[in-house]
Amino acid sequence: MKKVLVTGCAGFIGFHVSRRLLEMGYGVAGLDNLNSFYNEGLKAARLEILRGQKSFEFAQGDIADRPFVEEIFRKHEFGPIVHLAAQAGVRYSLENPHLYVRSNLEGFVNLIEEARKCHAPHFVYASSSSVYGANQKIPFSEKDNVDHPVSLYAATKKSNELMAHVYAHLYNLPVTGLRFFTVYGPWGRPDMAMFKFCKAILEGSPIEVYNHGNMKRDFTYIDDVVEGVIRTMENPPVSTSQNGGESISSAPHRIYNIGNNQPVDLSRLIQIFEEKLGKKANTRLLPMQPGDVPITYADVDSLAQAVDYRPKTPIEEGVSRFVDWYCEYYKA
């Protein structure tokens, strides 16, 4: 069996996907540039765990480096490709736009072009709930128009979806985009709310709560996301005929939301942390940040229909597992 290529393997989702694949008996080829977007020690620790598995091999490099990507594909034969490497972060994209163009656009094209050349059986890539942007209708459905992004990060992810469709249409390359909704859990990113809230409450530092607390997020536990990614990877889309004159593409390209389908108020999230940690939070209410949206809420019917799975971990259980990991890892 050819190895699954997982880009961003030292990242939060990439690490968990790689580990689960290895546990399932897949061989995994991991690719990551180990950039310093956040604490490098966390990425190194994740990678150390993966390197302990005999079916794992690692290459360090930048997906935006076209000669590097071409060389990787010349040297290896891959099975499915799970492309999770990207420059993440909505607010950071306001400060470093060129970095997002390089990683999320150039890097994406470099990889999907090589997937085309090697006739990959399936190219799965990370999109984002951010593509829904200024949409007012909830829950967010894959059928919704997503032509109004409110951050450059979201625009790059929408662009990925458009480019992916082109490759599916022109070359019959099976491609699936996954719109992740606020993923959290053990080994999570330090720039995300879960990490920040836990750290601040333990240290007695103020928590910055945007839009004066009038925010809801469809927090999705990492194990649920991994299950959705792998089930999707194992079920590549096929070309279909046009349906009744509707503007539905016949290309083997699908997009699915992966979210918990249960938005949580930030005030409720903070309360759950307080109960788990046995400490009160010191909140600092701030206005809405540029690029943010007040609510994310996933319609996951399409995912359930395609792979018979719906994310299901309750927020209380997920937060408890995250806090247990955090306290153990940081000796808090």
Side-chain angles (χ1 to χ4, degrees):
M1 183 191 303
K2 294 178 181 176
K3 289 192 172 185
V4 179
L5 173 62
V6 179
T7 70
C9 66
F12 174 36
I13 300 175
F15 161 68
H16 282 280
V17 168
S18 298
R19 188 162 65 169
R20 179 74 67 82
L21 286 169
L22 291 165
E23 290 170 354
M24 293 172 66
Y26 283 95
V28 174
L31 176 62
D32 203 293
N33 67 352
L34 300 177
N35 68 23
S36 57
F37 174 55
Y38 58 81
N39 185 292
E40 290 184 58
L42 204 52
K43 293 182 181 179
R46 295 182 190 129
L47 189 56
E48 182 85 13
I49 292 171
L50 296 177
R51 278 180 155 155
Q53 304 294 314
K54 64 179 181 180
S55 297
F56 178 78
E57 60 178 309
F58 176 67
Q60 182 175 350
D62 190 341
I63 58 171
D65 181 347
R66 181 177 167 189
F68 167 76
V69 174
E70 290 174 342
E71 183 68 13
I72 288 289
F73 277 84
R74 270 198 297 269
K75 288 183 176 178
H76 303 276
E77 289 189 14
F78 300 120
I81 297 169
V82 181
H83 174 40
L84 302 172
Q87 181 55 57
V90 168
R91 296 180 193 120
Y92 193 61
S93 69
L94 304 178
E95 304 166 17
N96 298 274
H98 298 290
L99 185 60
Y100 284 75
V101 170
R102 177 172 164 77
S103 180
N104 298 2
L105 299 183
E106 292 182 33
F108 186 90
V109 170
N110 289 342
L111 279 160
I112 200 167
E113 175 65 10
E114 294 306 311
R116 172 191 73 80
K117 291 178 184 176
C118 73
H119 305 289
H122 196 186
F123 185 90
V124 181
Y125 65 96
S127 186
S128 169
S129 62
S130 296
V131 301
Y132 289 106
N135 279 27
Q136 298 296 312
K137 183 183 78 64
I138 55 173
F140 298 153
S141 166
E142 298 91 341
K143 300 180 180 69
D144 295 342
N145 182 293
V146 288
D147 289 338
H148 304 94
V150 294
S151 71
L152 183 65
Y153 170 69
T156 64
K157 289 300 183 179
K158 162 73 177 193
S159 299
N160 288 168
E161 295 179 357
L162 295 173
M163 291 188 285
H165 182 269
V166 169
Y167 274 78
H169 173 76
L170 290 178
Y171 309 114
N172 204 38
L173 175 68
V175 186
T176 302
L178 301 175
R179 293 174 177 170
F180 298 134
F181 281 69
T182 317
V183 188
Y184 75 99
W187 298 97
R189 281 169 34 203
D191 63 307
M192 299 294 282
M194 293 282 178
F195 206 106
K196 288 181 174 180
F197 288 5
C198 187
K199 184 175 187 289
I201 293 173
L202 284 169
E203 294 177 352
S205 304
I207 292 175
E208 295 184 342
V209 182
Y210 296 108
N211 202 31
H212 303 284
N214 298 315
M215 304 270 277
K216 286 188 176 184
R217 288 290 180 268
D218 203 344
F219 294 104
T220 314
Y221 189 65
I222 184 62
D223 289 1
D224 291 337
V225 168
V226 170
E227 186 69 23
V229 170
I230 293 177
R231 288 197 188 205
T232 301
M233 184 199 80
E234 293 179 331
N235 290 275
V238 295
S239 297
T240 58
S241 60
Q242 293 285 358
N243 184 6
E246 297 177 10
S247 58
I248 298 173
S249 172
S250 61
H253 177 236
R254 302 291 181 271
I255 293 173
Y256 301 118
N257 291 332
I258 299 188
N260 205 43
N261 193 230
Q262 297 182 51
V264 177
D265 282 298
L266 285 192
S267 58
R268 172 58 184 152
L269 176 65
I270 294 169
Q271 183 183 25
I272 294 169
F273 271 106
E274 290 175 330
E275 292 168 357
K276 174 67 178 179
L277 294 168
K279 294 183 69 174
K280 291 293 291 181
N282 173 18
T283 57
R284 182 179 170 217
L285 302 181
L286 297 171
M288 179 77 90
Q289 295 293 286
D292 257 351
V293 294
I295 184 171
T296 62
Y297 183 1
D299 178 337
V300 293
D301 287 350
S302 293
L303 179 73
Q305 184 177 359
V307 299
D308 191 29
Y309 184 71
R310 291 175 181 270
K312 58 191 177 184
T313 304
I315 187 69
E316 293 82 4
E317 182 181 335
V319 168
S320 180
R321 291 181 190 173
F322 171 75
V323 169
D324 288 344
W325 167 80
Y326 184 98
C327 291
E328 180 182 356
Y329 184 78
Y330 290 101
K331 306 293 187 292

